[in-house]
Amino acid sequence: MRISVLGRVVFAIAFIGLGILSLFSGDFASVWQPVPPGIPGRAFLAVVSGAVMLIAGLGLLSRRTVVPASLALTIYTLVWLLALHVPRIVAAPTQEITWGGAAEILTLVAASWMLYASAATPASRFYFAPLAGAKAVHIARFLFAVALPLLGLEHLLYLQPTADMVPAWLPDRLGWAYVTGLAHIAAGVAILFAVLPRLAATLETVMTGIFTLFVWIPTVMATPAQRFVWTGLLISTVITAAAWIVTESYRSAPWFSFSRSRNQLTDLATR
């Protein structure tokens, strides 16, 4: 299976932007990379982190370098998840906001891995068989699907903050907060149990894309000097691109499929 170019390009551009922000600010990606302020060499690590995102993002733009770039991003985002977000969950397991933050990064792990699994072949220089092929594609989809209900639950538990982000010109902003939360949960369950998975992934991509366009872009235009809002825009963009990549992995699957076929999955992963 080959992921078509557009989703990968948007994914790459978002990481390039995050890398540039880190390099110019000398800091990590705001609340999404909660590195403690007192950690030794923090500024140096922030520059290294920014350089990894920038270089790997640039690597995703070329088919010749997509395999090592996607592998690097898979490792990087996994370390990001395990080192920065999992300890917060362990420290405060009853706070859903820590789970929601981890879920956002898990979508990036899943998409990075899916790019690698779809592009790596035995002829590739950086080929690791357990991380490539049909089984890897399946696991990456599973990880993405697990993340979505956690995002939805975060919307539902923090209704007012979510509603405050809904554009003021829309009626019943609280209602939209409910809708987006439930939609995340429904999409995750549908992908997880292979109930209209292509349609579910597509609608998830459209929803997160609309959120990026109508929430974060106006916010950046209103306060262009704030690094936080630029980081928010790029994180929202990269999550949208992650959903896009998952959607593209289903492009040979029927729109109205209610079952998962091993043969179909093998066919998707070897195209």
Side-chain angles (χ1 to χ4, degrees), residues 196-199 250-259 264 268:
L196 306 178
R198 184 181 181 185
L199 181 61
Y250 285 109
R251 71 180 186 272
S252 296
W255 281 100
F256 299 103
S257 169
F258 286 87
S259 63
Q264 182 187 73
L268 285 171

Side-chain angles (χ1 to χ4, degrees), residues 31-32 97 104 154-155 158-178 180 184 207-208 210-220 228-233 235-236:
V31 298
W32 284 274
I97 193 169
E104 290 178 341
E154 185 178 35
H155 280 217
Y158 298 94
L159 273 173
Q160 194 55 57
T162 302
D164 291 342
M165 299 188 74
V166 175
W169 49 266
L170 280 174
D172 192 10
R173 298 168 77 189
L174 198 62
W176 284 107
Y178 276 109
T180 56
H184 278 309
M207 182 177 71
T208 53
I210 289 173
F211 192 78
T212 302
L213 290 173
F214 290 101
V215 173
W216 284 109
I217 289 181
T219 303
V220 167
F228 172 80
V229 298
W230 282 100
T231 304
L233 171 62
I235 287 288
S236 185

Side-chain angles (χ1 to χ4, degrees), residues 107-231:
T107 66
L108 309 188
V109 176
S112 300
W113 188 4
M114 186 164 288
L115 287 175
Y116 176 80
S118 65
T121 67
S124 301
R125 185 176 179 183
F126 295 91
Y127 178 73
F128 300 96
L131 300 180
K135 186 175 182 179
V137 171
H138 176 54
I139 296 172
R141 286 176 179 163
F142 173 82
L143 294 178
F144 183 81
V146 167
L148 295 185
L150 295 174
L151 296 179
L153 188 59
E154 185 178 35
H155 280 217
L156 297 178
L157 292 179
Y158 298 94
L159 273 173
Q160 194 55 57
T162 302
D164 291 342
M165 299 188 74
V166 175
W169 49 266
L170 280 174
D172 192 10
R173 298 168 77 189
L174 198 62
W176 284 107
Y178 276 109
V179 167
T180 56
L182 292 173
H184 278 309
I185 294 171
V189 171
I191 295 171
L192 189 62
F193 293 100
V195 179
L196 306 178
R198 184 181 181 185
L199 181 61
T202 300
L203 293 176
E204 175 68 22
T205 304
V206 171
M207 182 177 71
T208 53
I210 289 173
F211 192 78
T212 302
L213 290 173
F214 290 101
V215 173
W216 284 109
I217 289 181
T219 303
V220 167
M221 293 175 66
T223 54
Q226 293 187 15
R227 182 170 67 93
F228 172 80
V229 298
W230 282 100
T231 304

Side-chain angles (χ1 to χ4, degrees), residues 8 17 30 32 37 61 73-74 81 107 115-116 119 123 152 164 194 201 209 220 226 244 247:
R8 170 165 55 89
S30 267
W32 284 274
L61 295 176
L73 277 179
T74 302
L81 173 67
T107 66
L115 287 175
Y116 176 80
D164 291 342
V220 167
Q226 293 187 15
W244 195 343
T247 298

Side-chain angles (χ1 to χ4, degrees), residues 76-99:
Y76 171 81
T77 53
L78 183 60
V79 170
W80 181 350
L81 173 67
L82 296 178
L84 299 182
H85 287 273
V86 170
R88 299 177 77 200
I89 293 174
V90 173
T94 60
Q95 293 184 13
E96 206 288 327
I97 193 169
T98 61
W99 289 90

